[in-house]
Coordinates of all heavy atoms in Angstrom, one line a residue:
M402 N 12.5 1.5 0.7 CA 11.2 1.3 1.4 C 10.0 1.9 0.5 O 10.2 3.0 0.0 CB 11.3 2.1 2.7 CG 10.0 2.0 3.5 SD 10.3 1.6 5.2 CE 8.9 2.5 5.9
T403 N 9.0 1.1 0.3 CA 7.9 1.5 -0.5 C 6.6 1.4 0.2 O 5.7 0.7 -0.3 CB 7.9 0.7 -1.8 OG1 7.9 -0.7 -1.4 CG2 9.1 0.9 -2.7
R404 N 6.5 2.1 1.3 CA 5.2 2.0 2.0 C 4.2 2.9 1.3 O 4.4 4.0 1.0 CB 5.4 2.4 3.5 CG 4.2 2.3 4.3 CD 4.5 2.3 5.8 NE 5.2 1.1 6.2 CZ 4.6 -0.1 6.6 NH1 3.3 -0.2 6.5 NH2 5.3 -1.1 6.9
R405 N 3.0 2.3 1.2 CA 1.9 3.0 0.5 C 0.7 3.0 1.4 O 0.4 2.1 2.2 CB 1.5 2.2 -0.8 CG 1.2 3.1 -1.9 CD 0.6 2.4 -3.1 NE -0.7 2.9 -3.4 CZ -1.5 2.6 -4.4 NH1 -1.1 1.6 -5.2 NH2 -2.7 3.1 -4.6
N406 N 0.0 4.1 1.4 CA -1.2 4.3 2.3 C -2.5 4.0 1.6 O -2.7 4.5 0.4 CB -1.2 5.7 2.9 CG -2.1 5.7 4.1 OD1 -1.8 5.1 5.1 ND2 -3.1 6.5 4.1
Y407 N -3.4 3.3 2.2 CA -4.7 3.0 1.7 C -5.7 3.6 2.6 O -5.8 3.2 3.8 CB -5.0 1.5 1.5 CG -4.0 0.9 0.5 CD1 -2.7 0.5 0.9 CD2 -4.3 0.8 -0.8 CE1 -1.8 0.0 0.0 CE2 -3.4 0.2 -1.7 CZ -2.2 -0.1 -1.3 OH -1.3 -0.7 -2.2
R408 N -6.5 4.6 2.1 CA -7.4 5.4 3.0 C -8.7 4.6 3.3 O -9.3 4.1 2.4 CB -7.7 6.7 2.2 CG -8.4 7.7 3.0 CD -7.5 8.8 3.5 NE -8.2 9.7 4.4 CZ -7.8 10.1 5.6 NH1 -6.7 9.6 6.1 NH2 -8.5 10.9 6.3
G409 N -9.1 4.6 4.6 CA -10.3 4.1 5.0 C -11.1 5.2 5.7 O -10.6 6.3 5.9
S410 N -12.4 4.9 6.0 CA -13.2 6.0 6.6 C -12.9 6.1 8.1 O -13.0 7.2 8.7 CB -14.7 5.7 6.4 OG -15.0 4.4 6.7
L411 N -12.5 5.0 8.8 CA -12.2 5.0 10.2 C -10.7 4.9 10.5 O -10.2 5.6 11.3 CB -12.9 3.9 10.9 CG -14.5 4.0 10.9 CD1 -15.1 2.8 11.6 CD2 -14.9 5.3 11.6
V412 N -10.1 4.0 9.7 CA -8.6 3.8 9.9 C -8.0 3.6 8.5 O -8.7 3.1 7.6 CB -8.2 2.6 10.7 CG1 -8.5 2.9 12.2 CG2 -8.8 1.3 10.2
D413 N -6.8 4.0 8.3 CA -6.1 3.7 7.0 C -5.2 2.4 7.3 O -4.9 2.1 8.4 CB -5.1 4.8 6.7 CG -5.8 6.1 6.3 OD1 -7.1 6.1 6.4 OD2 -5.1 7.1 6.1
V414 N -4.8 1.8 6.2 CA -3.9 0.7 6.2 C -2.7 1.1 5.3 O -2.9 1.6 4.2 CB -4.5 -0.6 5.7 CG1 -3.5 -1.7 5.6 CG2 -5.6 -1.0 6.7
S415 N -1.5 0.9 5.8 CA -0.3 1.1 5.0 C 0.4 -0.2 4.7 O 0.2 -1.1 5.6 CB 0.6 2.2 5.5 OG 1.3 1.7 6.6
F416 N 1.0 -0.3 3.6 CA 1.6 -1.6 3.2 C 3.0 -1.4 2.5 O 3.1 -0.5 1.7 CB 0.6 -2.3 2.2 CG 1.2 -3.5 1.5 CD1 1.4 -4.6 2.2 CD2 1.5 -3.5 0.1 CE1 1.9 -5.8 1.6 CE2 2.0 -4.6 -0.5 CZ 2.2 -5.8 0.3
D417 N 3.9 -2.1 3.0 CA 5.3 -2.1 2.4 C 5.6 -3.4 1.7 O 5.7 -4.4 2.3 CB 6.3 -1.8 3.4 CG 7.7 -1.6 2.9 OD1 8.0 -2.1 1.7 OD2 8.5 -1.0 3.5
K418 N 5.5 -3.4 0.3 CA 5.6 -4.6 -0.4 C 7.0 -5.3 -0.2 O 7.1 -6.5 -0.4 CB 5.2 -4.5 -1.9 CG 6.2 -3.7 -2.7 CD 5.7 -3.8 -4.2 CE 6.4 -2.9 -5.1 NZ 7.9 -2.9 -5.1
D419 N 8.0 -4.5 0.1 CA 9.3 -5.1 0.3 C 9.4 -6.0 1.5 O 10.3 -6.8 1.6 CB 10.4 -4.0 0.4 CG 10.5 -3.2 -0.9 OD1 10.2 -3.8 -2.0 OD2 11.0 -2.1 -0.9
L420 N 8.5 -5.7 2.5 CA 8.5 -6.5 3.7 C 7.6 -7.7 3.6 O 7.8 -8.7 4.4 CB 8.0 -5.6 4.9 CG 8.9 -4.5 5.3 CD1 8.3 -3.7 6.5 CD2 10.3 -4.9 5.7
C421 N 6.6 -7.7 2.7 CA 5.6 -8.8 2.7 C 6.2 -10.1 2.4 O 7.0 -10.3 1.5 CB 4.6 -8.4 1.6 SG 3.3 -9.7 1.4
R422 N 5.8 -11.1 3.3 CA 6.3 -12.5 3.1 C 5.2 -13.4 2.5 O 5.4 -14.6 2.6 CB 6.8 -13.0 4.4 CG 8.2 -12.4 4.8 CD 8.9 -13.3 5.8 NE 8.7 -12.8 7.2 CZ 8.1 -13.5 8.1 NH1 7.5 -14.6 7.9 NH2 7.9 -12.9 9.3
H423 N 4.2 -12.8 2.1 CA 3.1 -13.6 1.4 C 2.5 -14.7 2.2 O 2.2 -15.7 1.7 CB 3.6 -14.1 0.0 CG 4.2 -13.0 -0.8 ND1 3.4 -12.0 -1.4 CD2 5.4 -12.6 -1.1 CE1 4.1 -11.2 -2.1 NE2 5.4 -11.5 -1.9
A424 N 2.4 -14.4 3.5 CA 1.9 -15.4 4.4 C 0.3 -15.5 4.3 O -0.3 -16.5 4.8 CB 2.2 -15.1 5.9
A425 N -0.3 -14.5 3.7 CA -1.7 -14.5 3.4 C -2.6 -14.4 4.6 O -3.8 -14.7 4.5 CB -2.1 -15.7 2.5
E426 N -2.0 -14.1 5.7 CA -2.8 -13.9 6.9 C -3.9 -12.8 6.7 O -5.1 -13.0 7.1 CB -2.0 -13.4 8.1 CG -1.1 -14.5 8.7 CD -1.9 -15.5 9.5 OE1 -3.1 -15.3 9.8 OE2 -1.4 -16.6 9.7
C427 N -3.5 -11.8 6.0 CA -4.5 -10.7 5.7 C -5.6 -11.2 4.8 O -6.8 -10.9 5.1 CB -3.7 -9.6 5.0 SG -2.7 -10.0 3.6
V428 N -5.3 -11.9 3.7 CA -6.3 -12.3 2.8 C -7.3 -13.3 3.5 O -8.5 -13.3 3.3 CB -5.6 -13.0 1.6 CG1 -6.7 -13.5 0.6 CG2 -4.7 -11.9 0.9
R429 N -6.7 -14.2 4.3 CA -7.5 -15.2 5.0 C -8.4 -14.5 6.1 O -9.5 -14.8 6.3 CB -6.7 -16.2 5.7 CG -6.4 -17.5 4.9 CD -6.0 -18.6 5.8 NE -4.7 -18.3 6.4 CZ -3.5 -18.6 5.9 NH1 -3.4 -19.2 4.8 NH2 -2.4 -18.3 6.6
G430 N -7.8 -13.5 6.7 CA -8.5 -12.9 7.9 C -9.6 -12.0 7.4 O -10.6 -11.9 8.1
M431 N -9.5 -11.2 6.4 CA -10.5 -10.3 6.0 C -10.4 -10.1 4.4 O -10.0 -9.1 3.9 CB -10.2 -8.9 6.7 CG -11.5 -8.3 7.2 SD -11.2 -6.9 8.3 CE -12.8 -6.2 8.3
P432 N -11.0 -11.1 3.7 CA -10.9 -11.1 2.3 C -11.6 -9.9 1.6 O -11.3 -9.6 0.5 CB -11.5 -12.5 1.9 CG -12.2 -13.0 3.1 CD -11.6 -12.3 4.3
E433 N -12.6 -9.4 2.3 CA -13.3 -8.2 1.7 C -12.4 -7.0 1.7 O -12.7 -6.1 0.9 CB -14.6 -8.0 2.4 CG -14.6 -7.6 3.9 CD -14.4 -8.7 4.9 OE1 -13.7 -9.7 4.6 OE2 -15.0 -8.6 6.0
V434 N -11.4 -6.9 2.5 CA -10.5 -5.8 2.5 C -9.3 -6.1 1.7 O -8.8 -5.2 0.9 CB -10.1 -5.4 4.0 CG1 -9.0 -4.3 4.0 CG2 -11.3 -4.9 4.8
F435 N -8.8 -7.3 1.8 CA -7.5 -7.7 1.1 C -7.9 -8.7 0.0 O -8.2 -9.8 0.3 CB -6.5 -8.3 2.1 CG -6.2 -7.5 3.3 CD1 -6.9 -7.6 4.5 CD2 -5.3 -6.4 3.2 CE1 -6.6 -6.8 5.6 CE2 -5.0 -5.6 4.2 CZ -5.6 -5.8 5.5
D436 N -7.9 -8.2 -1.2 CA -8.2 -9.0 -2.3 C -7.2 -8.8 -3.4 O -7.1 -7.7 -4.1 CB -9.6 -8.5 -2.8 CG -10.1 -9.4 -4.0 OD1 -9.3 -10.1 -4.6 OD2 -11.3 -9.2 -4.4
T437 N -6.4 -9.8 -3.6 CA -5.2 -9.6 -4.6 C -5.7 -9.6 -6.0 O -4.9 -9.2 -6.9 CB -4.2 -10.8 -4.4 OG1 -4.9 -12.0 -4.5 CG2 -3.5 -10.7 -3.0
Q438 N -6.9 -9.9 -6.3 CA -7.4 -9.8 -7.7 C -7.9 -8.4 -8.0 O -8.3 -8.1 -9.1 CB -8.6 -10.8 -7.8 CG -8.3 -12.2 -7.5 CD -7.2 -12.8 -8.3 OE1 -7.2 -12.7 -9.5 NE2 -6.2 -13.3 -7.6
R439 N -8.0 -7.5 -7.0 CA -8.6 -6.2 -7.2 C -7.5 -5.2 -7.2 O -6.4 -5.3 -6.6 CB -9.6 -6.0 -6.0 CG -10.5 -4.8 -6.1 CD -11.3 -4.7 -4.8 NE -10.4 -4.6 -3.7 CZ -10.8 -4.9 -2.4 NH1 -12.0 -5.3 -2.2 NH2 -10.0 -4.8 -1.4
R440 N -7.7 -4.0 -7.8 CA -6.8 -2.9 -7.7 C -7.6 -1.7 -7.2 O -8.5 -1.4 -7.9 CB -6.1 -2.6 -9.1 CG -5.1 -3.7 -9.5 CD -3.9 -3.7 -8.6 NE -3.0 -4.8 -8.9 CZ -3.0 -6.0 -8.3 NH1 -4.0 -6.3 -7.4 NH2 -2.2 -6.9 -8.6
P441 N -7.2 -1.0 -6.2 CA -6.1 -1.4 -5.3 C -6.5 -2.7 -4.5 O -7.7 -2.9 -4.2 CB -5.9 -0.2 -4.4 CG -7.2 0.4 -4.3 CD -7.8 0.2 -5.7
W442 N -5.5 -3.5 -4.1 CA -5.8 -4.8 -3.5 C -6.2 -4.6 -2.0 O -6.8 -5.5 -1.4 CB -4.7 -5.7 -3.7 CG -3.5 -5.6 -2.8 CD1 -2.5 -4.7 -2.9 CD2 -3.2 -6.3 -1.6 NE1 -1.6 -4.8 -1.9 CE2 -2.0 -5.8 -1.1 CE3 -3.8 -7.4 -0.9 CZ2 -1.4 -6.3 0.1 CZ3 -3.2 -7.9 0.2 CH2 -2.0 -7.4 0.7
I443 N -5.9 -3.4 -1.4 CA -6.3 -3.2 0.0 C -7.4 -2.1 -0.1 O -7.2 -1.0 -0.7 CB -5.2 -2.7 0.8 CG1 -4.1 -3.7 0.8 CG2 -5.6 -2.4 2.2 CD1 -2.8 -3.3 1.5
D444 N -8.6 -2.4 0.5 CA -9.6 -1.4 0.5 C -10.2 -1.2 1.9 O -11.2 -1.9 2.3 CB -10.8 -1.7 -0.5 CG -11.8 -0.6 -0.5 OD1 -11.6 0.4 0.1 OD2 -12.9 -0.8 -1.1
P445 N -9.6 -0.4 2.8 CA -10.1 -0.3 4.2 C -11.4 0.4 4.3 O -12.1 0.4 5.3 CB -9.0 0.6 4.9 CG -7.9 0.8 3.9 CD -8.5 0.5 2.5
L446 N -11.9 1.0 3.2 CA -13.3 1.6 3.2 C -14.3 0.6 3.5 O -15.4 0.9 4.0 CB -13.6 2.3 1.9 CG -13.0 3.7 1.6 CD1 -13.2 4.1 0.2 CD2 -13.5 4.7 2.6
V447 N -14.1 -0.7 3.2 CA -15.0 -1.7 3.5 C -15.2 -1.9 5.0 O -16.3 -2.3 5.4 CB -14.5 -3.1 2.8 CG1 -15.4 -4.2 3.1 CG2 -14.3 -2.9 1.3
A448 N -14.2 -1.6 5.8 CA -14.3 -1.7 7.2 C -14.8 -0.3 7.8 O -14.2 0.4 8.5 CB -13.0 -2.0 7.8
G449 N -16.1 0.0 7.4 CA -16.6 1.3 7.8 C -17.4 1.4 9.1 O -17.8 2.5 9.5
T450 N -17.5 0.3 9.8 CA -18.1 0.3 11.2 C -17.0 0.1 12.2 O -16.0 -0.5 11.9 CB -19.2 -0.7 11.3 OG1 -18.6 -2.0 11.3 CG2 -20.3 -0.7 10.2
S451 N -17.3 0.5 13.4 CA -16.3 0.3 14.5 C -15.9 -1.1 14.7 O -14.8 -1.5 15.0 CB -16.6 1.1 15.8 OG -17.8 0.6 16.2
E452 N -17.0 -2.0 14.6 CA -16.7 -3.5 14.8 C -15.7 -3.9 13.7 O -14.8 -4.7 14.0 CB -18.0 -4.3 14.7 CG -18.9 -4.2 15.9 CD -19.8 -3.0 15.8 OE1 -20.0 -2.5 14.7 OE2 -20.4 -2.6 16.8
R453 N -16.0 -3.5 12.5 CA -15.2 -4.0 11.4 C -13.8 -3.4 11.4 O -12.8 -4.0 11.1 CB -15.9 -3.8 10.0 CG -17.1 -4.7 9.9 CD -18.0 -4.3 8.8 NE -17.4 -4.7 7.5 CZ -17.4 -6.0 7.0 NH1 -17.9 -6.9 7.8 NH2 -16.9 -6.3 5.9
A454 N -13.7 -2.1 11.9 CA -12.4 -1.5 12.0 C -11.6 -2.2 13.1 O -10.4 -2.4 13.0 CB -12.6 0.0 12.4
D455 N -12.3 -2.7 14.2 CA -11.6 -3.5 15.2 C -11.1 -4.8 14.7 O -10.0 -5.2 14.9 CB -12.5 -3.8 16.4 CG -12.7 -2.6 17.3 OD1 -11.9 -1.6 17.2 OD2 -13.6 -2.6 18.1
H456 N -11.9 -5.4 13.8 CA -11.5 -6.7 13.2 C -10.3 -6.4 12.3 O -9.3 -7.2 12.3 CB -12.7 -7.3 12.4 CG -12.4 -8.6 11.9 ND1 -13.1 -9.2 10.8 CD2 -11.5 -9.6 12.3 CE1 -12.6 -10.4 10.5 NE2 -11.6 -10.7 11.4
L457 N -10.3 -5.3 11.6 CA -9.2 -5.0 10.7 C -7.9 -4.8 11.5 O -6.9 -5.2 11.1 CB -9.6 -3.7 9.9 CG -8.5 -3.2 8.9 CD1 -8.2 -4.2 7.9 CD2 -9.1 -1.9 8.2
R458 N -8.0 -4.1 12.6 CA -6.9 -3.9 13.5 C -6.3 -5.2 13.9 O -5.1 -5.4 13.9 CB -7.2 -3.1 14.7 CG -7.5 -1.6 14.5 CD -7.8 -0.9 15.8 NE -8.1 0.5 15.6 CZ -9.4 0.9 15.5 NH1 -10.4 0.1 15.6 NH2 -9.6 2.2 15.3
E459 N -7.2 -6.2 14.2 CA -6.8 -7.5 14.7 C -6.1 -8.3 13.5 O -5.0 -8.8 13.7 CB -8.0 -8.3 15.1 CG -7.8 -9.6 15.8 CD -9.1 -10.3 15.9 OE1 -10.1 -9.8 16.3 OE2 -9.1 -11.5 15.4
V460 N -6.7 -8.2 12.3 CA -6.1 -8.9 11.2 C -4.7 -8.3 10.8 O -3.7 -9.0 10.6 CB -7.0 -8.9 10.0 CG1 -6.4 -9.4 8.7 CG2 -8.3 -9.7 10.3
V461 N -4.6 -7.0 10.8 CA -3.4 -6.3 10.5 C -2.3 -6.7 11.5 O -1.1 -6.9 11.2 CB -3.6 -4.8 10.4 CG1 -2.2 -4.1 10.4 CG2 -4.3 -4.5 9.1
G462 N -2.8 -6.8 12.8 CA -1.8 -7.2 13.9 C -1.3 -8.6 13.7 O -0.2 -8.9 14.3
R463 N -1.9 -9.4 12.9 CA -1.4 -10.8 12.7 C -0.4 -10.9 11.5 O 0.2 -11.9 11.3 CB -2.6 -11.7 12.2 CG -3.3 -12.3 13.4 CD -4.4 -13.3 12.9 NE -5.7 -12.9 13.3 CZ -6.8 -13.1 12.5 NH1 -6.7 -13.8 11.4 NH2 -8.0 -12.7 13.0
C464 N -0.2 -9.8 10.8 CA 0.7 -9.8 9.7 C 2.1 -10.1 10.3 O 2.6 -9.3 11.1 CB 0.7 -8.5 9.0 SG 2.0 -8.3 7.8
P465 N 2.8 -11.2 9.9 CA 4.0 -11.6 10.5 C 5.2 -10.8 10.1 O 6.2 -10.9 10.8 CB 4.1 -13.1 10.1 CG 3.4 -13.2 8.8 CD 2.3 -12.1 8.8
S466 N 5.1 -10.0 9.0 CA 6.3 -9.4 8.5 C 6.4 -7.9 8.9 O 7.4 -7.3 8.7 CB 6.3 -9.5 7.0 OG 5.2 -8.7 6.5
G467 N 5.3 -7.3 9.4 CA 5.3 -5.9 9.6 C 5.0 -5.1 8.3 O 5.1 -3.9 8.3
A468 N 4.6 -5.8 7.2 CA 4.3 -5.1 6.0 C 3.1 -4.3 6.1 O 3.0 -3.2 5.5 CB 4.2 -6.2 4.8
L469 N 2.1 -4.8 6.8 CA 0.9 -4.1 7.0 C 0.9 -3.3 8.3 O 1.5 -3.8 9.3 CB -0.3 -5.1 7.1 CG -0.8 -5.7 5.8 CD1 -1.9 -6.7 6.2 CD2 -1.2 -4.7 4.8
R470 N 0.3 -2.1 8.3 CA 0.3 -1.3 9.5 C -1.0 -0.5 9.5 O -1.5 -0.1 8.5 CB 1.5 -0.3 9.5 CG 2.0 0.0 10.8 CD 3.5 0.4 10.7 NE 3.7 1.7 10.0 CZ 4.9 2.1 9.6 NH1 6.0 1.4 9.9 NH2 5.0 3.3 9.0
I471 N -1.6 -0.4 10.7 CA -2.8 0.4 10.9 C -2.3 1.8 11.0 O -1.4 2.1 11.8 CB -3.6 0.0 12.1 CG1 -4.3 -1.3 11.8 CG2 -4.6 1.0 12.5 CD1 -5.5 -1.2 10.9
E472 N -2.9 2.8 10.3 CA -2.6 4.2 10.5 C -3.9 4.8 11.0 O -4.9 5.0 10.3 CB -2.2 4.8 9.2 CG -1.1 4.1 8.4 CD 0.3 4.2 9.0 OE1 0.4 5.1 9.9 OE2 1.2 3.5 8.6
E473 N -3.9 5.0 12.4 CA -5.1 5.6 13.0 C -5.3 7.0 12.5 O -4.3 7.8 12.3 CB -4.9 5.6 14.5 CG -4.8 4.2 15.1 CD -6.1 3.4 15.1 OE1 -7.2 4.0 14.9 OE2 -6.1 2.2 15.4
H474 N -6.5 7.4 12.3 CA -6.8 8.8 12.0 C -6.6 9.7 13.2 O -6.7 9.2 14.3 CB -8.2 9.0 11.5 CG -8.5 8.3 10.2 ND1 -9.7 8.4 9.6 CD2 -7.7 7.6 9.3 CE1 -9.6 7.7 8.4 NE2 -8.4 7.3 8.2
D475 N -6.2 10.9 13.0 CA -5.9 11.8 14.1 C -7.2 12.0 14.9 O -8.2 12.5 14.4 CB -5.4 13.1 13.5 CG -5.1 14.1 14.6 OD1 -5.3 13.8 15.8 OD2 -4.6 15.2 14.3
P476 N -7.3 11.5 16.2 CA -8.5 11.7 17.0 C -8.9 13.1 17.2 O -10.1 13.4 17.3 CB -8.2 11.0 18.3 CG -6.7 10.7 18.3 CD -6.2 11.0 16.9
S477 N -8.0 14.0 17.1 CA -8.4 15.4 17.3 C -9.1 16.0 16.1 O -9.8 17.0 16.2 CB -7.1 16.3 17.6 OG -6.3 16.3 16.4
A478 N -9.0 15.2 15.0 CA -9.7 15.7 13.8 C -11.2 15.1 13.7 O -12.0 15.4 12.9 CB -9.0 15.2 12.5
A479 N -11.5 14.3 14.7 CA -12.8 13.6 14.8 C -13.8 14.4 15.5 O -14.9 13.9 15.9 CB -12.7 12.2 15.3
G480 N -13.6 15.7 15.9 CA -14.5 16.5 16.5 C -14.4 16.5 18.0 O -15.2 17.0 18.8
G481 N -13.4 15.8 18.5 CA -13.2 15.7 20.0 C -12.5 16.9 20.6 O -12.4 17.0 21.8
A482 N -12.0 17.8 19.8 CA -11.2 18.9 20.4 C -12.1 19.9 21.0 O -13.2 20.1 20.5 CB -10.3 19.5 19.3
R483 N -11.7 20.6 22.0 CA -12.5 21.6 22.7 C -12.5 22.9 21.9 O -11.5 23.3 21.3 CB -11.9 21.9 24.1 CG -12.2 20.8 25.0 CD -11.8 21.3 26.4 NE -11.2 20.1 27.1 CZ -10.6 20.2 28.3 NH1 -10.5 21.4 28.8 NH2 -10.2 19.2 28.9
Ligands
LIG946 S1 -0.2 -10.9 6.2 FE1 1.4 -9.4 5.9 S2 3.1 -10.7 5.1 FE2 1.2 -11.9 4.8 S3 0.5 -11.5 2.8 FE3 -0.5 -10.0 4.1 S4 0.8 -8.2 4.1 FE4 2.0 -9.9 3.3

């Protein structure tokens, strides 16, 4: 298992290349985040607004293999703790 984490400002995305079936749902759904010509090819920092983070969650949810996963940031680290 080779899951790697890609850090974003609102959410992270992790990717396991052994699971990827190259269906390209990710690249079609959000090419500004998933760009196979770029290194690193996943850049969740691009999804820096809550609308874009929601879209990213939706696109990651379409990945048919489970290779992509949203890694939510710890909400208690966002200043919500008493
Ligand atoms: S949508 Fe999932 S299976 Fe398809 S290319 Fe992207 S990571 Fe791989």
Side-chain angles (χ1 to χ4, degrees):
M402 181 135 148
T403 52
R404 186 162 289 278
R405 220 189 120 175
N406 198 64
Y407 297 84
R408 187 102 184 130
S410 50
L411 296 177
V412 292
D413 295 357
V414 172
S415 70
F416 172 68
D417 185 336
K418 71 175 169 51
D419 293 339
L420 295 179
C421 178
R422 283 201 264 116
H423 306 289
E426 285 292 340
C427 51
V428 176
R429 267 199 299 270
M431 220 168 168
E433 65 275 38
V434 173
F435 303 98
D436 180 352
T437 55
Q438 305 301 308
R439 188 185 57 202
R440 290 292 173 271
W442 78 280
I443 301 175
D444 183 7
L446 279 172
V447 177
T450 65
S451 57
E452 287 86 15
R453 291 169 76 76
D455 281 347
H456 187 204
L457 179 59
R458 287 184 186 94
E459 188 195 309
V460 169
V461 166
R463 271 188 243 148
C464 171
S466 67
L469 288 176
R470 212 152 68 189
I471 287 286
E472 308 289 347
E473 296 289 347
H474 291 180
D475 182 357
S477 65
R483 288 186 214 172

